[in-house]
Amino acid sequence: MGLKDRFEIVLNSPVYYAGQSMTGKLIVELKKPKKIKGLYLKYFGKGYVHWNEGWGTTMVSHSNLEIYLMQYQLVCGNETDEYKLTEGRHVFEFNCQLPPDLPSSFEGHFGRISYSVKAIIDRPLKNDYVAKQSLTIVSIFDLNRCSLAAMPVEERSSKTFWGHSKPLNMSVNIPVRGFVPGQVIPMKVLLSNESEVLVKSLEATLKQVPALPPSFLQFCSIIDLRYQLNVKAKVSGCHRSLKLPIEVIIGNIPLMAYEMPISGNQTLCDVPGLSPPYNQLPNSQPPPYTVIFPPSVEYGDLPPPSYEESTRHGSLNREGSQEASNGNAEAREFSPLYPVYRFETARVQTVG
């Protein structure tokens, strides 16, 4: 478009929950009138996986694709006759009712679930104008409705070492299996060492980032997301460590009977690349997000979460990279935002 022209999608929120109405504005500013066939909006969401197996001439590529959202909306024009879009500023408000069965946005090494809004100006006998805005969709995973989430965890493991007849025993206890981002996972670890092999250290790791999509990625049939807590007793010498893997469940509505979040500075992080007004919020307050809770459960006392950007994993042939290589300047890499709660236990852990 011309140097003084503007063609931009501005969403009212960078985060929407499945089942909500996604709203925003399409802004078109023209320095002179333009003849068009139509101005369209395309709401699109898909899941894609890709990985390779083998090496060299034996390498086999695997991929799969699912479409979750594909809706078109004619903003102006009639698709057949030419329509004259006058000079000046045009603001078109839009609304898209999201289906309730959308999986959460996800970025991984071998797959992704992505959502976007694309605006297209269809020009007769000329290249189309295209604007694109990515966004995060969050699918509600209520831990109060997952029977496994509230169950306590007790796992045991043992190991014998070369030259030692007696074992090293380890047991791990966790009060519940289900947690939400921002919550501390308390563990009670008991070691019983009859092997006489020295235990040098004890460590526990959860291999993900603080802002997390929910376990299982419900409504997606090509990606299954699991979280594993690894507890390891590192021993001396050439012996291998004793390891105990424990699956935990990550949701985005916390277990009310276990621990309630606290209210506080629930701010939306400053995310580069998002359209205004997301990075220009007064008093650093987030927009009024409305979480859709299951209608049969009352969560009136649940403080709102903040929304934090996930750390990107180096990943497959990204749509953004592919589109940018094809000359689409609107394409860019996107990191989803996920709800993160504040807890008193987490605050205590960071003191001192």
Side-chain angles (χ1 to χ4, degrees):
M1 300 181 76
L3 293 177
K4 295 183 180 180
D5 291 342
R6 180 185 179 191
F7 187 35
E8 183 181 8
I9 298 168
V10 178
L11 294 173
N12 291 335
S13 168
V15 181
Y16 287 93
Y17 288 83
Q20 282 186 315
S21 292
M22 177 175 59
T23 59
K25 297 179 178 66
L26 175 61
I27 300 174
V28 183
E29 293 182 359
L30 301 176
K31 63 181 180 180
K32 61 181 181 180
K34 294 188 183 294
K35 293 181 179 179
I36 68 172
K37 293 180 62 177
L39 172 57
Y40 309 87
L41 283 169
K42 177 183 177 181
Y43 309 99
F44 188 66
K46 76 171 185 178
Y48 177 72
V49 292
H50 179 269
W51 72 96
N52 296 320
E53 292 182 352
W55 184 259
T57 57
T58 64
M59 180 178 292
V60 179
S61 294
H62 303 272
S63 63
N64 205 345
L65 173 69
E66 283 186 335
I67 303 299
Y68 309 115
L69 177 66
M70 183 182 291
Q71 297 183 22
Y72 291 88
Q73 179 182 351
L74 178 63
V75 178
C76 67
N78 57 19
E79 301 182 89
T80 55
D81 301 327
E82 286 189 355
Y83 177 86
K84 188 175 183 179
L85 198 59
T86 60
E87 64 183 68
R89 178 183 174 91
H90 305 266
V91 178
F92 304 95
E93 295 189 356
F94 61 84
N95 183 310
C96 175
Q97 179 64 45
L98 297 172
D101 55 352
L102 295 178
S104 290
S105 298
F106 173 74
E107 293 284 342
H109 287 288
F110 305 106
R112 69 195 310 245
I113 298 172
S114 60
Y115 296 91
S116 64
V117 183
K118 183 180 290 187
I120 304 166
I121 295 180
D122 185 4
R123 301 196 300 162
L125 304 178
K126 295 183 180 180
N127 292 332
D128 294 342
Y129 293 146
V130 178
K132 182 180 177 181
Q133 179 65 62
S134 298
L135 71 150
T136 299
I137 299 296
V138 177
S139 175
I140 289 292
F141 185 1
D142 184 358
L143 294 176
N144 301 278
R145 292 174 171 264
C146 176
S147 59
L148 291 177
M151 296 181 62
V153 179
E154 182 176 358
E155 301 281 355
R156 300 176 182 273
S157 184
S158 63
K159 184 179 182 66
T160 56
F161 304 99
W162 180 261
H164 299 267
S165 59
K166 295 185 178 180
L168 170 63
N169 303 300
M170 179 167 60
S171 65
V172 178
N173 290 270
I174 303 176
V176 293
R177 192 180 292 273
F179 299 89
V180 295
Q183 201 165 19
V184 170
I185 302 178
M187 295 178 293
K188 181 179 180 181
V189 182
L190 178 63
L191 285 176
S192 175
N193 190 1
E194 304 175 25
S195 68
E196 299 181 352
V197 174
L198 177 66
V199 177
K200 298 169 60 178
S201 64
L202 183 66
E203 63 182 41
T205 56
L206 180 65
K207 292 188 177 180
Q208 275 287 4
V209 296
L212 305 174
S215 294
F216 314 129
L217 288 180
Q218 60 181 343
F219 308 123
C220 173
S221 63
I222 60 175
I223 303 174
D224 184 20
L225 179 60
R226 306 275 176 151
Y227 293 95
Q228 184 171 285
L229 179 66
N230 295 309
V231 184
K232 178 167 66 175
K234 300 182 71 172
V235 296
S236 62
C238 59
H239 304 294
R240 292 186 177 181
S241 302
L242 172 59
K243 300 178 182 179
L244 182 56
I246 301 173
E247 183 174 359
V248 294
I249 299 173
I250 302 298
N252 45 40
I253 301 296
L255 286 166
M256 300 301 170
Y258 172 63
E259 184 181 22
M260 281 288 291
I262 60 175
S263 59
N265 297 321
Q266 307 293 338
T267 59
L268 178 70
C269 62
D270 185 19
V271 183
L274 287 179
S275 301
Y278 310 136
N279 295 333
Q280 305 171 11
L281 301 174
N283 302 320
S284 299
Q285 293 301 310
Y289 300 118
T290 302
V291 180
I292 297 178
F293 295 117
S296 61
V297 180
E298 179 60 44
Y299 296 109
D301 297 329
L302 179 65
S306 60
Y307 295 87
E308 298 184 11
E309 183 177 294
S310 65
T311 300
R312 294 184 63 84
H313 302 283
S315 131
L316 72 170
N317 298 324
R318 298 190 181 279
E319 280 183 347
S321 299
Q322 291 174 338
E323 291 176 358
S325 64
N326 292 332
N328 185 352
E330 295 294 332
R332 58 173 173 259
E333 292 188 345
F334 177 76
S335 294
L337 298 166
Y338 298 116
V340 177
Y341 294 89
R342 297 180 71 245
F343 292 87
E344 188 67 33
T345 53
R347 189 168 65 176
V348 170
Q349 291 287 332
T350 60
V351 173

